[in-house]
């Protein structure tokens, strides 16, 4: 299957990975509109919210809570939006949850590599 996120999971395409376990991979979005724009994806290919199973979804939300804390601590963001697109608005057809930080003060958009340096190695408590 020609899926860009499956290729990221298989390390055929590089990614700025923050965390992974047997069920999910978490990495920075390569085309962010805010510093720390992060994606959580299941390692198994699911299309969207209809397709994904409840246990995997529960695990994704458990990890989202932990990643939210990492972004708050490492990037000092003031708010975080979770978004998951389906249907015509979904560009990549492999389920993914976006975490998008917000900042009270306007921020210069940094390159992803610099943001990654601030986050990588963070422990998920
Ligand atoms: P969506 O519109 O919800 O399907 O969003 C897809 C997201 O995947 C966009 O924010 C893209 O910037 C992001 N994206 C696409 N290719 C990559 C990639 N190779 N690594 C990281 N993020 C990607
Ligand atoms: Zn896939």
């Amino acid at each position: 299957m020609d899926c860009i996120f499956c290729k990221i999971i298989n390390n055929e395409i590089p990614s700025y990975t923050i965390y992974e376990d047997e069920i999910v991979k978490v990495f920075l979005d390569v085309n962010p509109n805010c510093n720390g724009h992060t994606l959580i994806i299941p390692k198994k290919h699911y299309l969207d919210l209809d397709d994904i199973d409840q246990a995997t979804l529960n695990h994704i939300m458990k990890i989202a809570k932990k990643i939210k804390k990492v972004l708050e601590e490492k990037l000092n963001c003031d708010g975080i939006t979770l978004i998951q697109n389906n249907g015509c608005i979904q560009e990549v057809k492999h389920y993914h949850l976006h975490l998008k930080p917000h900042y009270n003060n306007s921020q210069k958009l940094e390159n992803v590599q610099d943001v990654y340096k601030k986050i990588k190695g963070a422990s998920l408590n």
Side-chain angles (χ1 to χ4, degrees):
M1 195 194 311
D2 195 26
C3 170
I4 195 163
F5 284 177
C6 283
K7 286 180 181 165
I8 285 177
I9 288 159
N10 296 327
N11 295 316
E12 291 166 37
I13 292 178
S15 63
Y16 292 104
T17 294
I18 298 171
Y19 171 82
E20 67 181 305
D21 59 30
E22 61 283 1
I23 300 168
V24 296
K25 192 168 177 96
V26 183
F27 53 95
L28 293 178
D29 195 298
V30 280
N31 190 22
N33 49 21
C34 53
N35 293 328
H37 183 172
T38 300
L39 303 174
I40 304 178
I41 68 173
K43 287 195 166 172
K44 193 172 162 206
H45 182 98
Y46 296 100
L47 169 60
D48 60 12
L49 192 58
D50 291 333
D51 194 29
I52 194 166
D53 71 276
Q54 191 61 48
T56 305
L57 212 45
N58 291 350
H59 186 72
I60 287 171
M61 290 313 294
K62 180 178 158 189
I63 298 302
K65 281 174 79 100
K66 293 174 188 281
I67 297 294
K68 177 178 177 289
K69 286 205 165 61
V70 168
L71 296 174
E72 286 165 350
E73 282 166 17
K74 298 289 181 183
L75 303 180
N76 294 313
C77 58
D78 301 293
I80 297 185
T81 298
L82 273 64
I83 298 170
Q84 187 266 314
N85 292 319
N86 299 270
C88 66
I89 200 166
Q90 183 180 2
E91 184 195 320
V92 177
K93 302 298 187 188
H94 179 132
Y95 178 100
H96 52 282
L97 181 66
H98 297 255
L99 279 78
K100 291 189 175 187
H102 297 266
Y103 302 86
N104 283 338
N105 301 316
S106 62
Q107 300 267 314
K108 185 171 75 68
L109 198 58
E110 295 173 40
N111 72 55
V112 179
Q113 202 174 356
D114 289 341
V115 174
Y116 181 63
K117 281 182 198 156
K118 295 180 188 173
I119 301 174
K120 72 172 177 182
S123 64
L124 272 67
N125 295 312

